[in-house]
Amino acid sequence: NYSVGLGSTAALLLFALAAMLLGRDRSRVADGDIDSRNGRGREELVTWPGSIGILGVGLMLAVGLEDVDGSEDWLPYLVGGVVVALSVVGYAAVRRGAFVVTAILGLGLAYIQLADDVLVDIGDRDDQVIIVAATIAVFVLGVTALGWLLRARAIAGVVAGVIGVIGLNIVLLALVVVRAVGDFFGELGMDGVGSGRGSRGPDYDNDVYVILAIAAVLTVLWALAASLDGNPGFTVLAIAMPATMVPMATFVLAVEHPTWWGVALAAVGAVLLALVGLRQLLGRTKH
């Protein structure tokens, strides 16, 4: 099976390399101008076999070098670095966004190992939730900043944004589960004393507020990116982040008086909609 994987990966990369080399000469017409249709076809033949072949290289390295010396801490750095390096070569050849995505995956793999080796040891045990959320935000911001220098800035920013939205929601979901379990056993009076009066579960309010602040910063940056670049992916991210994070956060925060939380959030949403509608109305009046 491993031999089949090696052969398939080699075939994909060789096909992409051949398309890149042979298609370069054939993409020009007799008068010396570039034939855009042939150019796009060559890019497609380079992009998809090349990007999938790069992922195959990473997978084959991970499988082949697993348990070489009994430790795998270095393997994500090697696999991620190779994937990033090959992705840079592919992007330099055809400037297609698929290679940006593979580069982000390679960076993410190495970054996860770096976070496990270094970042999780920063701070106290009670700060681990905030550290995880900040680690996700740093990755999103770093990838977006680097990608903004490329022609495929929208793809880089949106892919990183999707990772950020999913990652922060997973962190909040974990808090919801921990809080629910703690409250459940607290209501049963299982507090080690047997008083039967019960107690609240762990207090993660400060953690949630920090996570919401991080989400707000990312939302503002995506809204700014949407206004500068015009890609609808940034707009979707700016909507998806608060739309998913705020309800999830209320499960942790709104232990008491959930009705007032709902009223407050509904009022904020109504004000925002009114402002947007007023802006559209004023814009039509001016025209």
Side-chain angles (χ1 to χ4, degrees):
N1 287 333
Y2 188 65
S3 299
V4 172
L6 288 175
S8 301
T9 300
L12 288 169
L13 293 179
L14 289 175
F15 184 89
L17 180 62
M20 181 176 64
L21 296 177
L22 298 179
R24 182 175 299 172
D25 296 332
R26 296 182 179 180
S27 63
R28 297 184 177 276
V29 292
D31 58 357
D33 295 330
I34 297 178
D35 187 346
S36 59
R37 184 179 61 183
N38 291 338
R40 286 195 301 269
R42 180 182 69 87
E43 289 182 358
E44 295 291 336
L45 293 178
V46 174
T47 299
W48 299 111
S51 59
I52 297 174
I54 289 173
L55 296 179
V57 170
L59 181 60
M60 293 300 101
L61 281 175
V63 174
L65 299 178
E66 186 179 10
D67 294 329
V68 171
D69 59 355
S71 175
E72 301 175 12
D73 292 343
W74 54 271
L75 189 55
Y77 296 114
L78 175 63
V79 174
V82 170
V83 170
V84 171
L86 293 177
S87 299
V88 170
V89 174
Y91 184 81
V94 293
R95 299 290 198 279
R96 295 296 292 269
F99 294 109
V100 176
V101 176
T102 56
I104 293 174
L105 294 177
L107 281 174
L109 182 62
Y111 188 75
I112 290 174
Q113 187 62 46
L114 176 65
D116 185 59
D117 292 340
V118 178
L119 300 179
V120 294
D121 296 329
I122 300 175
D124 300 329
R125 183 177 180 85
D126 296 336
D127 300 328
Q128 292 302 306
V129 173
I130 296 176
I131 292 174
V132 171
T135 300
I136 295 172
V138 169
F139 180 78
V140 174
L141 292 174
V143 171
T144 303
L146 290 175
W148 201 259
L149 303 175
L150 305 176
R151 189 175 69 179
R153 62 177 63 174
I155 294 177
V158 171
V159 171
V162 170
I163 295 174
V165 172
I166 295 175
L168 291 180
N169 272 280
I170 290 175
V171 173
L172 274 184
L173 180 61
L175 290 183
V176 169
V177 174
V178 172
R179 185 62 175 271
V181 172
D183 289 343
F184 174 76
F185 286 107
E187 292 175 358
L188 293 180
M190 300 176 64
D191 52 6
V193 179
S195 62
R197 291 181 296 177
S199 61
R200 275 184 69 179
D203 186 4
Y204 293 106
D205 290 359
N206 291 333
D207 301 73
V208 174
Y209 288 130
V210 172
I211 293 173
L212 287 178
I214 292 174
V217 171
L218 292 177
T219 300
V220 171
L221 290 178
W222 288 330
L224 179 61
S227 64
L228 294 176
D229 186 74
N231 189 282
F234 291 116
T235 304
V236 172
L237 290 173
I239 296 172
M241 180 66 92
T244 55
M245 294 290 289
V246 173
M248 190 79 69
T250 57
F251 282 103
V252 184
L253 295 175
V255 178
E256 299 177 357
H257 309 297
T259 302
W260 290 112
W261 276 90
V263 171
L265 292 173
V268 171
V271 170
L272 291 176
L273 286 176
L275 291 175
V276 172
L278 181 62
R279 180 181 177 183
Q280 293 294 325
L281 181 61
L282 294 177
R284 292 181 180 181
T285 303
K286 291 180 180 180
H287 291 294

